[in-house]
Amino acid sequence: MAVPYTLGLHEIAPDTHAYLQPNGSWGLSNAGLIVSGGEALLVDTLFTVPQTRDLLTAITTTLPHVTVGTLVNSHSDGDHWWGNQLLPHATVIASAAAAADMGRDHLHELLAKPDDGIGVPLPRVVQDLRRAFDFTGIAPTLPNRTFSGKLEVAVGRRTVRLIEVGPAHTHGDVLVHVPDAGVLFAGDILFVGGHPVIHSGPVGRWIAACDLILGLDGVETIVPGHGPVVGKAEVRTFRTYLERVRDHAGRAHRAGTPVLRAAREMDLDGFEDWDDRERLLLNVGAVYRELNGDGTPGEEELLAGLDEFAPASRLEPRPGAEVAAEVTALAAGLPGVVRRLFPAEGSGPLEGFPVPNVLATIGHHPDLLTSLAPLLALLNQGAIAPRERELAILRTAHRTGSGYEWRHHVRLAGLAGLAGAEIARVQDGPDHPDWSEEDRTLLRAVDELHDGHVLTDATWQALADRRSAPQLLELLALVGIYGMVAGILNTCRVPLDDWLAGASEAGGTGGASGAGRVNGARGARGASGARVAHGARGVSGANGVSR
């Protein structure tokens, strides 16, 4: 069964559901629901109370007759259990090892503190966490039932098998197997489309956990901890990745290569499009720690190194107020709609949000920005219908790998009338069967312009049958200009605006800080090359954050 990678609850087998949070990066984890009659077992809560409340609302809206009486936490990272408090009457199950780690977890307290209450410098990934998520109100609710090895749990007339496979990603990882549905909820034993984090290891046990999954008879549908619903082929790919990390780090360790250099030098052939590349530092460091046998390099040390590993912006955006003032002075004769992009107080065009980083970056060349602004304004208020315009821009963002462009226009596409499912399938291209013929032609036109910079006669004619000459010319310019802007975004590594960095969206796509390639399954990462919530364990004595 093909499952769209969109935010919300999806039935993936009879009475078996996955709750997905694109783009699956830092802090955006998946959950599962297994139903029998009026009873249900929930696999994992989410990173924050608001996220978990949205999850439970989706369940009650879709399945109003169901009561969640059992909750299984797949492991101890916060994005898989910090919402437990919203199920106060449930039996909460975890492995004994995971429960022990959960009992030592106080990181949510650090993340919820005001800026003036921290007292220590924080790695950028943790700063991003604090900006993107609301950690207030978390009251840690620990498991009230634990096990080691294997456990069978009854859900109405169904049987769910819990299989402990940690230590691997963490000390107490658990797989949730639903034999009668052919479904496996893998927790963070599986990541799809992005680099994982090896918190505990050993990596050999994680590889063995992949082998166990591959050997489970009848399993056809696998829900990863992060990423879209997949099958066993993706488990094989992920296993190969872990082997590559193990082998590369082992060779580098034997050669005495410093861990940061070893992470930068790893061959990523076949994995170059995966998100969250900076996690290689954590993973290579984990193998070094295993080989050293003395706890070094520690995860807190490696987290601090992420700031050095992650690619920084090549041109930091200028202060929005400065750019606005300069452009306003230069643009006295420009149309009012353009001037409103740059009011003197530095407020941007998007409902009071600040001047976007794309404009603040191009603002290093005020004359260029002043010349470009009228064309952008024309294209966004021209002859093409808003829905068609945003569909073409989203496909351009996808084909150019511009996570920044994608994330901004996911928001604008929704305002223009594109449904979440439509946005999600933009990455599938014109051949998806659910497109109308008119949408299919538009997407095909974008692809032809991207691939060969010319439309075929058939595509031109199909467009011309329904559009005026100005609309045709405007479409050609639209794809070209947004392709050019994507080149600026990708090359300058423009960071995603803070006000968008933590927002989840339908059908995520994108790359690192607007600079990475699009893999068609995951979304744009957050500001300065790091999204929030995985891998930030061990900060200031706290452990257990997430992924």
mmCIF file of all heavy atoms in Angstrom, residues 144-192:
data_model
loop_
_atom_site.group_PDB
_atom_site.id
_atom_site.type_symbol
_atom_site.label_atom_id
_atom_site.label_comp_id
_atom_site.label_asym_id
_atom_site.label_seq_id
_atom_site.Cartn_x
_atom_site.Cartn_y
_atom_site.Cartn_z
ATOM 1 N N ASN A 144 5.029 2.400 33.335
ATOM 2 C CA ASN A 144 4.616 1.688 34.550
ATOM 3 C C ASN A 144 4.656 0.171 34.361
ATOM 4 O O ASN A 144 4.209 -0.582 35.217
ATOM 5 C CB ASN A 144 3.230 2.149 35.002
ATOM 6 C CG ASN A 144 2.206 2.152 33.866
ATOM 7 O OD1 ASN A 144 2.217 1.261 33.006
ATOM 8 N ND2 ASN A 144 1.335 3.159 33.858
ATOM 9 N N ARG A 145 5.188 -0.254 33.200
ATOM 10 C CA ARG A 145 5.424 -1.673 32.969
ATOM 11 C C ARG A 145 6.675 -1.804 32.096
ATOM 12 O O ARG A 145 6.790 -1.121 31.076
ATOM 13 C CB ARG A 145 4.237 -2.323 32.276
ATOM 14 C CG ARG A 145 4.406 -3.830 32.044
ATOM 15 C CD ARG A 145 3.210 -4.429 31.312
ATOM 16 N NE ARG A 145 3.398 -5.870 31.093
ATOM 17 C CZ ARG A 145 2.566 -6.628 30.381
ATOM 18 N NH1 ARG A 145 1.481 -6.098 29.816
ATOM 19 N NH2 ARG A 145 2.804 -7.923 30.227
ATOM 20 N N THR A 146 7.612 -2.639 32.505
ATOM 21 C CA THR A 146 8.835 -2.816 31.738
ATOM 22 C C THR A 146 9.068 -4.295 31.454
ATOM 23 O O THR A 146 8.467 -5.174 32.087
ATOM 24 C CB THR A 146 10.059 -2.245 32.482
ATOM 25 O OG1 THR A 146 10.245 -2.947 33.709
ATOM 26 C CG2 THR A 146 9.886 -0.761 32.764
ATOM 27 N N PHE A 147 9.947 -4.558 30.508
ATOM 28 C CA PHE A 147 10.276 -5.927 30.149
ATOM 29 C C PHE A 147 11.679 -5.949 29.561
ATOM 30 O O PHE A 147 12.264 -4.906 29.225
ATOM 31 C CB PHE A 147 9.278 -6.478 29.133
ATOM 32 C CG PHE A 147 9.472 -5.927 27.737
ATOM 33 C CD1 PHE A 147 10.129 -6.680 26.760
ATOM 34 C CD2 PHE A 147 9.025 -4.648 27.399
ATOM 35 C CE1 PHE A 147 10.327 -6.171 25.487
ATOM 36 C CE2 PHE A 147 9.204 -4.147 26.132
ATOM 37 C CZ PHE A 147 9.864 -4.902 25.168
ATOM 38 N N SER A 148 12.219 -7.125 29.411
ATOM 39 C CA SER A 148 13.479 -7.345 28.709
ATOM 40 C C SER A 148 13.283 -8.510 27.749
ATOM 41 O O SER A 148 12.549 -9.461 28.044
ATOM 42 C CB SER A 148 14.619 -7.656 29.690
ATOM 43 O OG SER A 148 14.847 -6.561 30.557
ATOM 44 N N GLY A 149 13.907 -8.416 26.588
ATOM 45 C CA GLY A 149 13.793 -9.507 25.619
ATOM 46 C C GLY A 149 12.579 -9.351 24.743
ATOM 47 O O GLY A 149 12.551 -8.508 23.850
ATOM 48 N N LYS A 150 11.532 -10.150 24.985
ATOM 49 C CA LYS A 150 10.322 -10.111 24.166
ATOM 50 C C LYS A 150 9.090 -10.080 25.057
ATOM 51 O O LYS A 150 9.109 -10.575 26.190
ATOM 52 C CB LYS A 150 10.251 -11.329 23.234
ATOM 53 C CG LYS A 150 11.375 -11.398 22.211
ATOM 54 C CD LYS A 150 11.231 -12.630 21.320
ATOM 55 C CE LYS A 150 12.358 -12.691 20.289
ATOM 56 N NZ LYS A 150 12.240 -13.887 19.406
ATOM 57 N N LEU A 151 8.020 -9.515 24.521
ATOM 58 C CA LEU A 151 6.760 -9.440 25.264
ATOM 59 C C LEU A 151 5.618 -9.424 24.262
ATOM 60 O O LEU A 151 5.669 -8.708 23.251
ATOM 61 C CB LEU A 151 6.720 -8.169 26.120
ATOM 62 C CG LEU A 151 5.441 -7.934 26.937
ATOM 63 C CD1 LEU A 151 5.311 -8.978 28.048
ATOM 64 C CD2 LEU A 151 5.433 -6.518 27.518
ATOM 65 N N GLU A 152 4.581 -10.226 24.528
ATOM 66 C CA GLU A 152 3.370 -10.176 23.720
ATOM 67 C C GLU A 152 2.308 -9.402 24.474
ATOM 68 O O GLU A 152 2.091 -9.619 25.676
ATOM 69 C CB GLU A 152 2.873 -11.582 23.390
ATOM 70 C CG GLU A 152 3.769 -12.324 22.408
ATOM 71 C CD GLU A 152 3.127 -13.588 21.858
ATOM 72 O OE1 GLU A 152 2.061 -13.988 22.385
ATOM 73 O OE2 GLU A 152 3.675 -14.160 20.899
ATOM 74 N N VAL A 153 1.638 -8.499 23.766
ATOM 75 C CA VAL A 153 0.617 -7.629 24.368
ATOM 76 C C VAL A 153 -0.688 -7.824 23.601
ATOM 77 O O VAL A 153 -0.698 -7.762 22.360
ATOM 78 C CB VAL A 153 1.051 -6.149 24.307
ATOM 79 C CG1 VAL A 153 -0.015 -5.257 24.933
ATOM 80 C CG2 VAL A 153 2.396 -5.960 25.002
ATOM 81 N N ALA A 154 -1.773 -8.048 24.323
ATOM 82 C CA ALA A 154 -3.085 -8.209 23.689
ATOM 83 C C ALA A 154 -3.723 -6.838 23.497
ATOM 84 O O ALA A 154 -3.746 -6.011 24.418
ATOM 85 C CB ALA A 154 -3.977 -9.093 24.542
ATOM 86 N N VAL A 155 -4.255 -6.631 22.307
ATOM 87 C CA VAL A 155 -5.049 -5.436 21.995
ATOM 88 C C VAL A 155 -6.372 -5.945 21.449
ATOM 89 O O VAL A 155 -6.483 -6.317 20.280
ATOM 90 C CB VAL A 155 -4.353 -4.538 20.963
ATOM 91 C CG1 VAL A 155 -5.163 -3.268 20.741
ATOM 92 C CG2 VAL A 155 -2.938 -4.200 21.394
ATOM 93 N N GLY A 156 -7.380 -6.007 22.316
ATOM 94 C CA GLY A 156 -8.618 -6.646 21.914
ATOM 95 C C GLY A 156 -8.334 -8.081 21.507
ATOM 96 O O GLY A 156 -7.786 -8.865 22.293
ATOM 97 N N ARG A 157 -8.674 -8.437 20.277
ATOM 98 C CA ARG A 157 -8.443 -9.794 19.785
ATOM 99 C C ARG A 157 -7.128 -9.927 19.024
ATOM 100 O O ARG A 157 -6.858 -10.985 18.458
ATOM 101 C CB ARG A 157 -9.600 -10.209 18.878
ATOM 102 C CG ARG A 157 -10.942 -10.286 19.600
ATOM 103 C CD ARG A 157 -12.021 -10.812 18.675
ATOM 104 N NE ARG A 157 -13.292 -10.969 19.377
ATOM 105 C CZ ARG A 157 -14.390 -11.474 18.834
ATOM 106 N NH1 ARG A 157 -14.364 -11.870 17.557
ATOM 107 N NH2 ARG A 157 -15.493 -11.580 19.534
ATOM 108 N N ARG A 158 -6.341 -8.890 19.038
ATOM 109 C CA ARG A 158 -5.086 -8.907 18.289
ATOM 110 C C ARG A 158 -3.905 -9.070 19.239
ATOM 111 O O ARG A 158 -3.976 -8.717 20.425
ATOM 112 C CB ARG A 158 -4.917 -7.621 17.477
ATOM 113 C CG ARG A 158 -6.093 -7.334 16.572
ATOM 114 C CD ARG A 158 -5.928 -6.023 15.832
ATOM 115 N NE ARG A 158 -4.910 -6.108 14.773
ATOM 116 C CZ ARG A 158 -4.559 -5.086 14.021
ATOM 117 N NH1 ARG A 158 -5.126 -3.890 14.203
ATOM 118 N NH2 ARG A 158 -3.647 -5.236 13.068
ATOM 119 N N THR A 159 -2.806 -9.580 18.701
ATOM 120 C CA THR A 159 -1.576 -9.746 19.476
ATOM 121 C C THR A 159 -0.479 -8.896 18.850
ATOM 122 O O THR A 159 -0.251 -8.935 17.636
ATOM 123 C CB THR A 159 -1.127 -11.215 19.500
ATOM 124 O OG1 THR A 159 -2.135 -11.995 20.139
ATOM 125 C CG2 THR A 159 0.185 -11.372 20.251
ATOM 126 N N VAL A 160 0.177 -8.133 19.698
ATOM 127 C CA VAL A 160 1.294 -7.288 19.275
ATOM 128 C C VAL A 160 2.560 -7.806 19.950
ATOM 129 O O VAL A 160 2.563 -8.068 21.163
ATOM 130 C CB VAL A 160 1.050 -5.815 19.653
ATOM 131 C CG1 VAL A 160 2.260 -4.954 19.313
ATOM 132 C CG2 VAL A 160 -0.198 -5.291 18.948
ATOM 133 N N ARG A 161 3.618 -7.972 19.185
ATOM 134 C CA ARG A 161 4.884 -8.495 19.698
ATOM 135 C C ARG A 161 5.880 -7.353 19.873
ATOM 136 O O ARG A 161 6.119 -6.576 18.944
ATOM 137 C CB ARG A 161 5.479 -9.532 18.736
ATOM 138 C CG ARG A 161 4.609 -10.763 18.524
ATOM 139 C CD ARG A 161 5.251 -11.675 17.483
ATOM 140 N NE ARG A 161 6.556 -12.156 17.928
ATOM 141 C CZ ARG A 161 7.617 -12.282 17.143
ATOM 142 N NH1 ARG A 161 7.546 -11.939 15.860
ATOM 143 N NH2 ARG A 161 8.758 -12.747 17.619
ATOM 144 N N LEU A 162 6.444 -7.265 21.072
ATOM 145 C CA LEU A 162 7.493 -6.291 21.354
ATOM 146 C C LEU A 162 8.828 -7.026 21.389
ATOM 147 O O LEU A 162 8.962 -8.037 22.086
ATOM 148 C CB LEU A 162 7.247 -5.575 22.677
ATOM 149 C CG LEU A 162 5.850 -4.955 22.884
ATOM 150 C CD1 LEU A 162 5.800 -4.203 24.215
ATOM 151 C CD2 LEU A 162 5.479 -4.043 21.725
ATOM 152 N N ILE A 163 9.809 -6.523 20.649
ATOM 153 C CA ILE A 163 11.103 -7.189 20.524
ATOM 154 C C ILE A 163 12.190 -6.184 20.870
ATOM 155 O O ILE A 163 12.390 -5.183 20.167
ATOM 156 C CB ILE A 163 11.324 -7.710 19.093
ATOM 157 C CG1 ILE A 163 10.141 -8.565 18.637
ATOM 158 C CG2 ILE A 163 12.630 -8.488 19.003
ATOM 159 C CD1 ILE A 163 10.175 -8.880 17.147
ATOM 160 N N GLU A 164 12.892 -6.420 21.964
ATOM 161 C CA GLU A 164 13.992 -5.530 22.356
ATOM 162 C C GLU A 164 15.217 -5.823 21.488
ATOM 163 O O GLU A 164 15.657 -6.968 21.383
ATOM 164 C CB GLU A 164 14.331 -5.731 23.827
ATOM 165 C CG GLU A 164 15.396 -4.767 24.331
ATOM 166 C CD GLU A 164 15.710 -4.956 25.798
ATOM 167 O OE1 GLU A 164 15.334 -6.021 26.358
ATOM 168 O OE2 GLU A 164 16.326 -4.058 26.397
ATOM 169 N N VAL A 165 15.764 -4.786 20.870
ATOM 170 C CA VAL A 165 16.947 -4.951 20.021
ATOM 171 C C VAL A 165 18.095 -4.047 20.462
ATOM 172 O O VAL A 165 19.178 -4.093 19.875
ATOM 173 C CB VAL A 165 16.615 -4.680 18.539
ATOM 174 C CG1 VAL A 165 15.689 -5.759 17.990
ATOM 175 C CG2 VAL A 165 16.011 -3.298 18.346
ATOM 176 N N GLY A 166 17.884 -3.218 21.480
ATOM 177 C CA GLY A 166 18.967 -2.389 21.992
ATOM 178 C C GLY A 166 19.888 -3.192 22.887
ATOM 179 O O GLY A 166 19.542 -4.309 23.294
ATOM 180 N N PRO A 167 21.064 -2.623 23.162
ATOM 181 C CA PRO A 167 21.528 -1.299 22.759
ATOM 182 C C PRO A 167 21.909 -1.243 21.281
ATOM 183 O O PRO A 167 22.572 -2.135 20.770
ATOM 184 C CB PRO A 167 22.745 -1.059 23.656
ATOM 185 C CG PRO A 167 23.260 -2.444 23.964
ATOM 186 C CD PRO A 167 22.036 -3.320 24.036
ATOM 187 N N ALA A 168 21.474 -0.156 20.643
ATOM 188 C CA ALA A 168 21.786 0.061 19.231
ATOM 189 C C ALA A 168 21.741 1.573 18.994
ATOM 190 O O ALA A 168 22.744 2.252 19.177
ATOM 191 C CB ALA A 168 20.796 -0.687 18.342
ATOM 192 N N HIS A 169 20.587 2.090 18.599
ATOM 193 C CA HIS A 169 20.420 3.549 18.545
ATOM 194 C C HIS A 169 20.513 4.122 19.953
ATOM 195 O O HIS A 169 21.225 5.097 20.208
ATOM 196 C CB HIS A 169 19.062 3.856 17.913
ATOM 197 C CG HIS A 169 18.607 5.269 18.057
ATOM 198 N ND1 HIS A 169 19.276 6.334 17.500
ATOM 199 C CD2 HIS A 169 17.519 5.806 18.693
ATOM 200 C CE1 HIS A 169 18.638 7.453 17.788
ATOM 201 N NE2 HIS A 169 17.575 7.162 18.512
ATOM 202 N N THR A 170 19.771 3.544 20.888
ATOM 203 C CA THR A 170 19.873 3.875 22.311
ATOM 204 C C THR A 170 20.045 2.570 23.078
ATOM 205 O O THR A 170 20.129 1.496 22.496
ATOM 206 C CB THR A 170 18.606 4.614 22.796
ATOM 207 O OG1 THR A 170 17.483 3.718 22.673
ATOM 208 C CG2 THR A 170 18.355 5.874 21.992
ATOM 209 N N HIS A 171 20.043 2.661 24.400
ATOM 210 C CA HIS A 171 20.263 1.455 25.208
ATOM 211 C C HIS A 171 19.092 0.490 25.158
ATOM 212 O O HIS A 171 19.273 -0.712 25.353
ATOM 213 C CB HIS A 171 20.524 1.852 26.676
ATOM 214 C CG HIS A 171 21.818 2.565 26.875
ATOM 215 N ND1 HIS A 171 21.898 3.863 27.334
ATOM 216 C CD2 HIS A 171 23.092 2.170 26.662
ATOM 217 C CE1 HIS A 171 23.157 4.235 27.399
ATOM 218 N NE2 HIS A 171 23.906 3.231 26.995
ATOM 219 N N GLY A 172 17.855 1.013 24.916
ATOM 220 C CA GLY A 172 16.685 0.157 25.097
ATOM 221 C C GLY A 172 15.718 0.122 23.941
ATOM 222 O O GLY A 172 14.499 0.102 24.155
ATOM 223 N N ASP A 173 16.202 0.096 22.710
ATOM 224 C CA ASP A 173 15.321 0.140 21.530
ATOM 225 C C ASP A 173 14.403 -1.083 21.458
ATOM 226 O O ASP A 173 14.838 -2.214 21.703
ATOM 227 C CB ASP A 173 16.160 0.190 20.253
ATOM 228 C CG ASP A 173 17.089 1.376 20.227
ATOM 229 O OD1 ASP A 173 16.595 2.511 20.186
ATOM 230 O OD2 ASP A 173 18.324 1.164 20.274
ATOM 231 N N VAL A 174 13.144 -0.827 21.043
ATOM 232 C CA VAL A 174 12.140 -1.884 20.930
ATOM 233 C C VAL A 174 11.457 -1.781 19.566
ATOM 234 O O VAL A 174 11.074 -0.688 19.130
ATOM 235 C CB VAL A 174 11.086 -1.761 22.056
ATOM 236 C CG1 VAL A 174 9.890 -2.674 21.799
ATOM 237 C CG2 VAL A 174 11.721 -2.071 23.407
ATOM 238 N N LEU A 175 11.298 -2.923 18.890
ATOM 239 C CA LEU A 175 10.483 -3.028 17.687
ATOM 240 C C LEU A 175 9.066 -3.437 18.082
ATOM 241 O O LEU A 175 8.885 -4.232 19.013
ATOM 242 C CB LEU A 175 11.047 -4.071 16.722
ATOM 243 C CG LEU A 175 12.507 -3.933 16.292
ATOM 244 C CD1 LEU A 175 12.909 -5.134 15.432
ATOM 245 C CD2 LEU A 175 12.722 -2.634 15.543
ATOM 246 N N VAL A 176 8.067 -2.919 17.363
ATOM 247 C CA VAL A 176 6.670 -3.268 17.619
ATOM 248 C C VAL A 176 6.142 -3.972 16.365
ATOM 249 O O VAL A 176 5.938 -3.342 15.327
ATOM 250 C CB VAL A 176 5.828 -2.030 17.957
ATOM 251 C CG1 VAL A 176 4.384 -2.427 18.220
ATOM 252 C CG2 VAL A 176 6.418 -1.294 19.172
ATOM 253 N N HIS A 177 5.907 -5.278 16.491
ATOM 254 C CA HIS A 177 5.529 -6.117 15.360
ATOM 255 C C HIS A 177 4.043 -6.449 15.456
ATOM 256 O O HIS A 177 3.558 -6.897 16.501
ATOM 257 C CB HIS A 177 6.372 -7.404 15.389
ATOM 258 C CG HIS A 177 6.083 -8.339 14.258
ATOM 259 N ND1 HIS A 177 6.334 -9.697 14.340
ATOM 260 C CD2 HIS A 177 5.572 -8.131 13.020
ATOM 261 C CE1 HIS A 177 5.984 -10.273 13.200
ATOM 262 N NE2 HIS A 177 5.521 -9.353 12.388
ATOM 263 N N VAL A 178 3.320 -6.217 14.370
ATOM 264 C CA VAL A 178 1.886 -6.517 14.307
ATOM 265 C C VAL A 178 1.714 -7.638 13.286
ATOM 266 O O VAL A 178 1.510 -7.385 12.096
ATOM 267 C CB VAL A 178 1.070 -5.271 13.913
ATOM 268 C CG1 VAL A 178 -0.421 -5.532 14.103
ATOM 269 C CG2 VAL A 178 1.514 -4.047 14.710
ATOM 270 N N PRO A 179 1.807 -8.898 13.712
ATOM 271 C CA PRO A 179 1.858 -10.007 12.746
ATOM 272 C C PRO A 179 0.650 -10.110 11.838
ATOM 273 O O PRO A 179 0.779 -10.387 10.638
ATOM 274 C CB PRO A 179 1.985 -11.243 13.649
ATOM 275 C CG PRO A 179 2.550 -10.741 14.931
ATOM 276 C CD PRO A 179 1.982 -9.375 15.096
ATOM 277 N N ASP A 180 -0.569 -9.883 12.382
ATOM 278 C CA ASP A 180 -1.749 -10.087 11.551
ATOM 279 C C ASP A 180 -1.926 -9.021 10.473
ATOM 280 O O ASP A 180 -2.719 -9.179 9.542
ATOM 281 C CB ASP A 180 -3.013 -10.186 12.416
ATOM 282 C CG ASP A 180 -3.364 -8.890 13.120
ATOM 283 O OD1 ASP A 180 -2.556 -7.941 13.071
ATOM 284 O OD2 ASP A 180 -4.444 -8.815 13.724
ATOM 285 N N ALA A 181 -1.159 -7.921 10.566
ATOM 286 C CA ALA A 181 -1.234 -6.856 9.570
ATOM 287 C C ALA A 181 -0.002 -6.802 8.677
ATOM 288 O O ALA A 181 0.018 -6.037 7.708
ATOM 289 C CB ALA A 181 -1.419 -5.502 10.268
ATOM 290 N N GLY A 182 1.019 -7.596 9.011
ATOM 291 C CA GLY A 182 2.263 -7.516 8.252
ATOM 292 C C GLY A 182 2.970 -6.187 8.413
ATOM 293 O O GLY A 182 3.648 -5.708 7.497
ATOM 294 N N VAL A 183 2.827 -5.568 9.598
ATOM 295 C CA VAL A 183 3.346 -4.222 9.853
ATOM 296 C C VAL A 183 4.384 -4.280 10.964
ATOM 297 O O VAL A 183 4.243 -5.036 11.939
ATOM 298 C CB VAL A 183 2.205 -3.263 10.246
ATOM 299 C CG1 VAL A 183 2.753 -1.947 10.775
ATOM 300 C CG2 VAL A 183 1.294 -3.012 9.050
ATOM 301 N N LEU A 184 5.417 -3.470 10.822
ATOM 302 C CA LEU A 184 6.416 -3.297 11.873
ATOM 303 C C LEU A 184 6.608 -1.812 12.128
ATOM 304 O O LEU A 184 6.846 -1.040 11.191
ATOM 305 C CB LEU A 184 7.753 -3.913 11.471
ATOM 306 C CG LEU A 184 8.842 -3.818 12.551
ATOM 307 C CD1 LEU A 184 8.615 -4.871 13.624
ATOM 308 C CD2 LEU A 184 10.233 -3.948 11.945
ATOM 309 N N PHE A 185 6.486 -1.401 13.387
ATOM 310 C CA PHE A 185 6.867 -0.062 13.806
ATOM 311 C C PHE A 185 8.289 -0.164 14.346
ATOM 312 O O PHE A 185 8.535 -0.778 15.392
ATOM 313 C CB PHE A 185 5.907 0.470 14.868
ATOM 314 C CG PHE A 185 4.504 0.667 14.354
ATOM 315 C CD1 PHE A 185 3.543 -0.337 14.502
ATOM 316 C CD2 PHE A 185 4.150 1.839 13.698
ATOM 317 C CE1 PHE A 185 2.258 -0.170 14.019
ATOM 318 C CE2 PHE A 185 2.858 2.007 13.208
ATOM 319 C CZ PHE A 185 1.913 1.004 13.367
ATOM 320 N N ALA A 186 9.233 0.427 13.611
ATOM 321 C CA ALA A 186 10.652 0.193 13.897
ATOM 322 C C ALA A 186 11.241 1.179 14.876
ATOM 323 O O ALA A 186 12.382 0.996 15.323
ATOM 324 C CB ALA A 186 11.449 0.238 12.590
ATOM 325 N N GLY A 187 10.493 2.233 15.265
ATOM 326 C CA GLY A 187 11.124 3.256 16.085
ATOM 327 C C GLY A 187 12.356 3.786 15.374
ATOM 328 O O GLY A 187 12.450 3.772 14.142
ATOM 329 N N ASP A 188 13.329 4.224 16.155
ATOM 330 C CA ASP A 188 14.519 4.814 15.535
ATOM 331 C C ASP A 188 15.572 3.787 15.157
ATOM 332 O O ASP A 188 16.722 4.149 14.868
ATOM 333 C CB ASP A 188 15.111 5.877 16.462
ATOM 334 C CG ASP A 188 14.325 7.176 16.402
ATOM 335 O OD1 ASP A 188 13.295 7.209 15.710
ATOM 336 O OD2 ASP A 188 14.728 8.151 17.062
ATOM 337 N N ILE A 189 15.186 2.523 15.110
ATOM 338 C CA ILE A 189 16.049 1.529 14.490
ATOM 339 C C ILE A 189 16.076 1.746 12.972
ATOM 340 O O ILE A 189 16.979 1.275 12.289
ATOM 341 C CB ILE A 189 15.589 0.104 14.845
ATOM 342 C CG1 ILE A 189 15.895 -0.158 16.330
ATOM 343 C CG2 ILE A 189 16.252 -0.951 13.998
ATOM 344 C CD1 ILE A 189 17.389 -0.103 16.689
ATOM 345 N N LEU A 190 15.123 2.500 12.445
ATOM 346 C CA LEU A 190 15.125 2.801 11.015
ATOM 347 C C LEU A 190 14.858 4.283 10.794
ATOM 348 O O LEU A 190 13.899 4.834 11.324
ATOM 349 C CB LEU A 190 14.061 1.975 10.287
ATOM 350 C CG LEU A 190 13.967 2.205 8.774
ATOM 351 C CD1 LEU A 190 15.267 1.804 8.085
ATOM 352 C CD2 LEU A 190 12.790 1.433 8.179
ATOM 353 N N PHE A 191 15.730 4.910 10.017
ATOM 354 C CA PHE A 191 15.544 6.255 9.493
ATOM 355 C C PHE A 191 15.440 6.134 7.979
ATOM 356 O O PHE A 191 16.174 5.352 7.373
ATOM 357 C CB PHE A 191 16.747 7.146 9.826
ATOM 358 C CG PHE A 191 16.893 7.516 11.270
ATOM 359 C CD1 PHE A 191 17.213 6.563 12.234
ATOM 360 C CD2 PHE A 191 16.759 8.838 11.668
ATOM 361 C CE1 PHE A 191 17.371 6.906 13.564
ATOM 362 C CE2 PHE A 191 16.918 9.189 13.001
ATOM 363 C CZ PHE A 191 17.223 8.225 13.955
ATOM 364 N N VAL A 192 14.584 6.914 7.370
ATOM 365 C CA VAL A 192 14.443 6.879 5.916
ATOM 366 C C VAL A 192 14.662 8.282 5.362
ATOM 367 O O VAL A 192 13.974 9.220 5.748
ATOM 368 C CB VAL A 192 13.061 6.353 5.490
ATOM 369 C CG1 VAL A 192 12.909 6.423 3.975
ATOM 370 C CG2 VAL A 192 12.846 4.930 5.980
#
